[in-house]
Amino acid sequence: MTEMLTQLLRPRQGPTTAELVQEPGRFGLGRVPSRVAPVATARSVCGFCATGCGLKVHLGPVGNALNLSPDSAYPVNLGMACPKGWEALAPLAATDRATTPLLRDPASGELRPTDWSTALNTFAARMKAVQEKHGKHSISFLSTGQIPTEEMALLGALFKFGMGGLHADSNTRQCMATAATAYKQAFGFDAPPYTYADFEESDVLVFMGANPAIAHPIMWQRVMRNPHDPRIVVIDPRRTETAMAATDHYAVAPKGDLWLLYGVTHELITRGWIDRDFVDAHTTGFAELSTFIADYSPERCATESGISAKRIRELATMIHRGKAVSFWWTMGVNQGHQSTRLTHALINLALLTGNIGRPGTGANSITGQCNAMGSRLFGNTTSLLGGRDFANPQHRADVAHLLAIPEEVIPSEPSLAYDQIIDGIESGTIRGLWVIATNPAHSWIHQGRFAALREKLDFLVVQDMYATTETARIADLVLPAAGWGEKDGTFVNSERRIGVTRKVTRAPGQALADFSIFKLIAEAWGCGAMFEAWSSPEATFKLLARLSADQPCDFSGITDYPFLQDAGGIQWPYPASSDRVAPPANTALNRLAPARPTATADVYQERRLFNDGRFFTPDQRARLLFEAPAPAPESPDESFPFWLNTGRGSSAQWHTGTRTDKSPVLRKLAPKRVYVEINPDDAAQLGIHNAEPVTIRSRRASITATAAVTPTVAPGQVFMPMHFAGVNQLTYAAFDPHSRQPSYKACAVSVGRT
Ligand SMILES: Nc1nc2c(c(=O)[nH]1)N[C@H]1C(S)=C(S)[C@@H](COP(=O)(O)OP(=O)(O)OC[C@H]3O[C@@H](n4cnc5c(=O)[nH]c(N)nc54)[C@H](O)[C@@H]3O)O[C@H]1N2
Ligand SMILES: Nc1nc2c(c(=O)[nH]1)N[C@H]1C(S)=C(S)[C@@H](COP(=O)(O)OP(=O)(O)OC[C@H]3O[C@@H](n4cnc5c(=O)[nH]c(N)nc54)[C@H](O)[C@@H]3O)O[C@H]1N2
Ligand code: SF4
Ligand SMILES: [Mo]
């Protein structure tokens, strides 16, 4: 360990971030200090959202990042970027970066700087002590969708195969668990089928519970480039920026979506507006669905969905008339008490109407974080490396063989989900927690309960870029991590495109790449030899490519980072066997031209799944799944008369703000204080004026916010952005039973003048 540590901490060429901070204005919207001219450019992908835009980072004479611009040759963003992308370098220069490990001093109770050796030895000794006292499975980690796949895979492998842990999850549970679960159940694999070209090729686009104009601005730009004069339908209780720009807004009642979609399905089936050939050849469950849906006439669905029978029929007609209809969804669907079945209701619409596998179609989950897709495939939490199943002996044997590790170290039991890990901490079965690149003390649902858990943990480790996050401040040990731009690796974006992210500047002080931290922990734990082949991010990538072979996500044809980079990123699947003559079974390799291509930017750029109607289930048929709608676990009543909806507030704010709050440019573009949007009628009735402070109460907490009186929220509803810490004190911890994703967007509150 000592040798590895010395090597990693050896002063490297180029200035440190701290030195760069001394030159104000050096980062940002294209500002290059006059005396430093870029001498080279590195191509990278953005580390915020899952759009995965290509960025060109311009480097100074000593190889350090000066500024950046969007990459016009990258097939995702075509030269565009949103404010976060333009400002991606600014958070690296923040003054509150964690620059040394910090250990809580028992005497003073304060976090104090320590050296890496002490930090690593403490990590190993205290986690092992917890395991000895409370059992192997009494330690746990909560990780992320925001570090490269190579790091995520190393973490998952280290924890489960090296440290003997079992219970681990990531913030993708808060975000993508529903889409992943629904795809697995319906398609047999977690496989979003689309490519971004579909935004431009549909003539009807249905967005449900998605606000891409704010949350995925560059995807929205792709929609705006659509030349087919499309119908754009937005299903959202709020009149969002996306809804305003759409052709049709369906202001569905909060959590009324299942009723709406069942009304539409009823209309499609009773009118015979379905693609019977496709349904018969490629799906199962149609007879059962037809029987079930008979009870869901548009008239019956109107009351609960808040949408008139006439408009339900109009939506069915639009879908029927569309030549290429695509269905897109994000958190308004994934975060709900019945979210998996709601996702299936959308997937059913695509399957019933044969809108899948062709340009401009699909049942398409939009991903949130830059590498949520990598986390889903290689996090080694819910599924075994490469989208495999821990319970399947053959899968365990394959992984053991490929990694040259004993089969016995691979657990066969499933891990607890995030909320169950939290329950485990509450009940005392989980005593050691390691939090990597997520900030649950702000983002997890029902914070009051989360805060109380700190007392129950024997050891809390937080590995983050900043020592100031809500979670880092309550840790026993803080491990300082390098961030995006300070390390190499790959991300998998929303359309399954694997892209390379590059180290373009040095991490400050003694902060290390998460990859290096995991390697050092493996050494300190005594299992370093198991990860010898994982010698660098790129070596790990090659290992993962081999691990992906013969899986639906097979990318074994990608040889190395330069190949990937030259190609402008590559969407999986890209099997070695495609070599690269014919499309592999099960997939459509659209626009694939030459028989023996080289990896150039105009080859292999767009592909979608399922053009042959063959899915990844054992019988290759997709499943039509459904369930009767159930009321939300908490809904407004006399004492708490409003629905509280939460989500993204502005395109300049990222989640808990640890990164975006560090950019002066982004701070200017974002609201300063927590606010609550309330309808003018409700405000008038309560005597509330715009911009005055109000108190929001739920059964769990009460917080003060600034009133934003606006007709974009319907009467009886209020909306708060998730970027401010108090919001999750109000939320109610309900979960979808299949995906265990929290229902962040529906609880009951009261609003009153402060
Ligand atoms: N600027 C910015 N961009 C981001 C992020 C960020 O923090 N900031 N985060 C990224 C991540 S991780 C994610 S997951 C995505 C999230 O992207 P989105 O899901 O698009 O964003 P949200 O605002 O969370 O939720 C979308 C919409 O769901 C609606 N909604 C609420 N309840 C319901 C309901 O019952 N039915 C329906 N149909 N709609 C409902 C809300 O009104 C909201 O407009 O954004 C990504 N992009
Ligand atoms: N009320 C409400 N709550 C929500 C939501 C909602 O819609 N409403 N949305 C949910 C969703 S979809 C999501 S995805 C979550 C997001 O919730 P979080 O994941 O908790 O939010 P982030 O602020 O992105 O936290 C990421 C942390 O990782 C750190 N970090 C960044 N890069 C690196 C790195 O390379 N290495 C390390 N070690 N650390 C790094 C950052 O500093 C930050 O502290 O919030 C969820 N919470
Ligand atoms: S849209 Fe997403 S990936 Fe593109 S620049 Fe903005 S944050 Fe980055
Ligand atoms: Mo997310």
Side-chain angles (χ1 to χ4, degrees), residues 165 174 179 233 321 462 474 712 724:
Q174 304 169 339
V233 181
R321 294 210 179 129
V462 173
I474 56 169
T712 56
F724 300 92

Side-chain angles (χ1 to χ4, degrees), residues 49 84 175-176 208-212 214-216 235-238 240 252-257 330-332 335 367-369 645-648 650-655 719 722-723 745:
C49 90
K84 294 184 299 301
C175 183
M176 300 318 304
M208 186 176 235
N211 188 11
I214 291 295
H216 297 95
I235 304 169
D236 194 310
R238 287 193 304 145
T240 58
V252 68
K255 300 295 153 229
D257 306 77
T330 320
M331 291 309 120
Q335 297 169 345
T367 320
Q369 305 164 81
N645 177 4
T646 66
R648 276 77 198 153
S650 79
S651 64
Q653 287 168 291
W654 180 257
H655 296 155
F719 174 82
M722 61 154 307
H723 312 296
K745 296 191 180 337

Side-chain angles (χ1 to χ4, degrees), residues 8 23 62 82 114 191 415 423 434 472 522 527 539 550 574 640 680 711 751:
L8 288 167
E23 273 193 81
V62 282
C82 85
T114 187
S415 162
D423 288 348
W434 180 15
C527 60
D550 300 327
Y574 191 83
F640 299 96
V751 184

Side-chain angles (χ1 to χ4, degrees), residues 447-501:
Q447 271 308 312
R449 192 174 155 227
F450 191 91
L453 295 180
R454 176 63 198 93
E455 306 310 313
K456 303 245 175 176
L457 285 169
D458 292 350
F459 192 46
L460 173 63
V461 183
V462 173
Q463 186 166 321
D464 204 287
M465 292 167 65
Y466 307 99
T468 49
T469 72
E470 287 91 346
T471 320
R473 277 192 252 126
I474 56 169
D476 295 304
L477 176 67
V478 176
L479 302 177
W484 172 89
E486 296 168 343
K487 56 189 180 179
D488 291 335
T490 56
F491 295 149
V492 188
N493 81 352
S494 210
E495 53 164 1
R496 312 180 317 284
R497 184 181 302 275
I498 306 166
V500 185
T501 169

